[in-house]
Amino acid sequence: MIRRIVIGSTLALATAALLPVVRNTVRPLVATGVKGAKSTLETIKEEMEDIIAEAKLERMQNQFEKELAESDIEINQTAERKRSTIALIPAAKNKLIPLVDTGVKSVKSTFETIKEEVEDLIVEAKMDRMQKQFDKQLSDVEQDILGEQEPSSTQEITNEQEVTSEVEPTSELEFDNKEEIKSDS
């Protein structure tokens, strides 16, 4: 154990004495190594950036060429479709125009029919409304008349109704001819 203490103490003293010498010798070597490593890393970094930039440029160029080829194909297909469509126009025109004209006429007649039916329904609705108003007004007038009359005058109206209901058929037959009625009026 003493032996270990002596060896440890000797090494500690030697280290303390040699440390400034080693420090002065190793420090320039380490600084040179760090500078060399930095320049090497910067060179590697620049080379990697150049490789990445070239790869991106090549990828963009390939993509551009691909898109250009696709657009050329699309342009050619569009031109071909237009040529075939233009070639079909005269033939289609002779067949389609009569069909379209027939369809248009059919649609027009359907709309006219619908329009007439709607107008008839509107007229019927107006007539019903007017009839209801007339019936209501007539009922109101009859109630006013009956309410104002005295019992003796009500009896006279009833007697007059009986007389008019007993009109002889011969008096009605005098105007059988419609032309006579029109000429009289």
Side-chain angles (χ1 to χ4, degrees):
M1 170 128 138
I2 292 183
R3 192 172 168 185
R4 287 185 184 170
I5 293 176
V6 172
I7 292 174
S9 305
T10 307
L11 284 174
L13 288 174
T15 304
L18 290 176
L19 189 62
V21 175
V22 172
R23 185 184 312 151
N24 289 337
T25 306
V26 174
R27 184 176 269 171
L29 291 173
V30 171
T32 305
V34 169
K35 286 181 184 177
K38 279 184 179 180
S39 69
T40 304
L41 288 175
E42 285 180 12
T43 305
I44 291 173
K45 179 183 173 187
E46 289 174 1
E47 289 296 321
M48 291 299 290
E49 287 175 351
D50 288 344
I51 291 171
I52 290 171
E54 288 176 11
K56 285 182 178 179
L57 180 64
E58 188 176 328
R59 189 179 330 143
M60 286 173 42
Q61 187 176 4
N62 290 340
Q63 183 67 26
F64 177 73
E65 289 174 358
K66 181 181 174 184
E67 289 175 2
L68 184 62
E70 288 174 357
S71 67
D72 284 343
I73 291 171
E74 188 177 323
I75 289 171
N76 291 337
Q77 289 174 347
T78 303
E80 185 62 33
R81 281 193 303 258
K82 285 184 180 178
R83 276 189 233 111
S84 64
T85 303
I86 290 172
L88 290 175
I89 288 175
K93 181 179 176 183
N94 294 334
K95 292 180 181 178
L96 291 178
I97 288 178
L99 290 174
V100 170
D101 288 342
T102 304
V104 168
K105 288 177 185 175
S106 173
V107 169
K108 281 183 179 178
S109 69
T110 303
F111 278 124
E112 287 297 322
T113 304
I114 291 171
K115 180 181 173 185
E116 289 172 3
E117 288 178 10
V118 168
E119 288 173 352
D120 289 345
L121 289 173
I122 290 171
V123 167
E124 286 179 24
K126 286 181 179 178
M127 288 177 66
D128 286 345
R129 191 176 337 127
M130 289 173 59
Q131 183 65 40
K132 288 178 182 177
Q133 288 175 350
F134 177 75
D135 290 344
K136 183 181 177 194
Q137 288 175 353
L138 182 63
S139 171
D140 291 345
V141 168
E142 286 176 349
Q143 287 177 359
D144 288 346
I145 290 173
L146 290 177
E148 292 175 2
Q149 289 180 352
E150 297 174 8
S152 62
S153 62
T154 306
Q155 185 63 30
E156 290 175 11
I157 291 173
T158 308
N159 290 340
E160 286 178 14
Q161 288 175 347
E162 288 176 4
V163 169
T164 56
S165 64
E166 294 177 3
V167 174
E168 295 179 23
T170 56
S171 62
E172 290 180 9
L173 293 176
E174 292 178 16
F175 296 102
D176 276 344
N177 191 347
K178 292 180 182 177
E179 291 178 15
E180 288 180 16
I181 295 172
K182 288 182 183 176
S183 64
D184 288 343
S185 58

